[in-house]
Amino acid sequence: MADLDQLFSQGQFGQFLVFKRLGTFAIDPLAFATLLQGIGLVAFAFSTPLMFAAFADRRQRRLGATGLAALMVTLHPYSAEILTFSEASFTALLASAMGVTAIFIVATRPRFWLLAWIMLVAALSMYQLLINYAALMILLGVIQTYLRTGGALRDEWVAYRPLFYAILVLVGALAAYLCIHKSLVTTLGISEVGRAGFLPLDKLYLRAQEILSLGGFLWQRTLLVTYGSAAKGLFWGMVAAGWLLLLLRLLVRPRMGAVLPVIAMVLVPAAAMGVIAVGKVWWPAPRVAGRGCSCVCDGHLLGGMVRAGPVGAGAGSGTRGDPAAELYSGGSSGAQRSVAVERLRSPACTAHI
């Protein structure tokens, strides 16, 4: 098992504490590695749908699109590469699940922000790459919110408020983690490894070249292996279809507020790179590059959401309150149409007609 100096120097003091706690129950992380990996994988698998549902409403939580995107994230070879680390994979998967769940909590139940903050600090102390997942969730939330409201930030600020909460809690948790980490390594006199530092500004150009080179590698090895051209084509086909449908959606009914989802779309690849893009040491391990899988899986999910109806079909829609429009809206459910029929039959509505 990794010692204190090694884990603390990497900023993973939470992992050390988890291992110590397991030791008090006579559980050796190496001897029980397979069992712990299974527990971590189950926790991560059950949390991945929350990545796509945190900022979505009922209409956008399509079971087929969300389920398929979650499976692609969980089972993609780049994401599964973490399982080759029998000892560290449990805490990495557990931390990822905790981080995703924390963002979901603050997005859907803001009053529990303190619980989400504590979960994020604990998760970051075990696995810092969960920041990539959190950033992707927030960017996807921007697109989902725009598709739901169709309005600009100043007009629909209430709808975007959960995103602000999530950003504040995430930034606060990251700041707290960094303070704790620096305090521990300074107090204990432990030297940080290169991966724990930030990239100097004079190395930005070199890092940009490294990222472009990595992009070419990921394009050639979408599924980690060089073979499987049919699977690779199907994968990129679903991704391209999702993002293309979103672009067409924005172009059909252009609005000033469309700048928000466009910015989010541009930032998605940057969020997928996340931590490794700003780290002092270039470290594009497959399990790290697997965050790009979440980026492209968002594209498939968006393809399912775009078919949910016109921009602003939810809150902020111009058809809201008009029973005739609700009746003939293609996105209305059977229950909604029944309510609309009853409203059309009401005396007040009949007199108005």
Side-chain angles (χ1 to χ4, degrees), residues 33-333:
T34 303
L35 175 62
L36 294 176
Q37 280 183 328
I39 295 174
L41 185 59
V42 169
F44 179 67
F46 274 93
S47 69
T48 46
L50 304 182
M51 293 177 58
F52 307 102
F55 300 98
D57 67 356
R58 181 181 58 83
R59 287 164 53 88
Q60 293 173 322
R61 293 172 182 171
R62 289 173 172 256
L63 180 61
T66 303
L68 182 56
L71 282 175
M72 291 170 68
V73 172
T74 305
L75 302 179
H76 194 279
Y78 282 111
S79 297
E81 193 259 354
I82 189 64
L83 296 176
T84 60
F85 292 80
S86 59
E87 180 180 342
S89 57
F90 167 64
T91 50
L93 292 168
L94 178 63
S96 299
M98 290 175 59
V100 171
T101 303
I103 297 296
F104 179 83
I105 289 174
V106 74
T108 56
R109 297 290 187 273
R111 63 180 179 276
F112 295 120
W113 66 268
L114 182 58
L115 172 63
W117 180 81
I118 294 173
M119 291 176 63
L120 280 172
V121 174
L124 287 169
S125 69
M126 293 185 285
Y127 194 60
Q128 296 77 48
L129 293 176
L130 66 90
I131 297 175
N132 299 24
Y133 283 132
L136 287 169
M137 290 175 67
I138 292 172
L139 291 176
L140 178 60
V142 172
I143 299 174
Q144 289 172 320
T145 304
Y146 177 82
L147 290 176
R148 186 167 64 250
T149 64
L153 179 63
R154 61 184 180 183
D155 300 325
E156 302 288 349
W157 67 273
V158 174
Y160 288 90
R161 192 161 52 186
L163 292 164
F164 294 135
Y165 293 154
I167 293 173
L168 289 175
V169 172
L170 177 62
V171 172
L174 180 59
Y177 160 73
L178 291 175
C179 290
I180 296 172
H181 167 62
K182 291 295 183 181
S183 299
L184 288 174
V185 296
T186 302
T187 302
L188 299 176
I190 298 175
S191 300
E192 292 181 315
V193 296
R195 291 194 322 230
F198 289 100
L199 178 71
L201 293 179
D202 59 345
K203 302 291 185 181
L204 287 177
Y205 178 72
L206 178 61
R207 180 54 49 84
Q209 292 181 317
E210 291 171 333
I211 292 175
L212 289 176
S213 177
L214 176 61
F217 175 83
L218 294 176
W219 173 257
Q220 294 295 328
R221 293 175 174 264
T222 305
L223 302 178
L224 192 59
V225 295
T226 56
Y227 53 86
S229 57
K232 176 182 175 181
L234 179 62
F235 182 84
W236 285 116
M238 289 190 297
V239 171
W243 286 105
L244 180 61
L245 285 172
L246 175 60
L247 285 174
L248 292 176
R249 180 71 164 278
L250 297 177
L251 292 175
V252 168
R253 298 184 63 183
R255 299 166 181 258
M256 288 298 295
V259 67
L260 287 175
V262 170
I263 292 175
M265 291 171 63
V266 172
L267 291 178
V268 162
M273 295 295 297
V275 175
I276 62 171
V278 298
K280 185 177 181 180
V281 175
W282 180 239
W283 185 53
R287 60 190 176 278
V288 178
R291 300 307 173 275
C293 174
S294 302
C295 157
V296 294
C297 287
D298 289 353
H300 170 72
L301 176 69
L302 291 172
M305 291 193 305
V306 165
R307 295 192 298 271
V311 170
S317 171
T319 64
R320 187 163 205 165
D322 184 350
E326 292 176 2
L327 177 61
Y328 294 105
S329 173
S332 299
S333 64

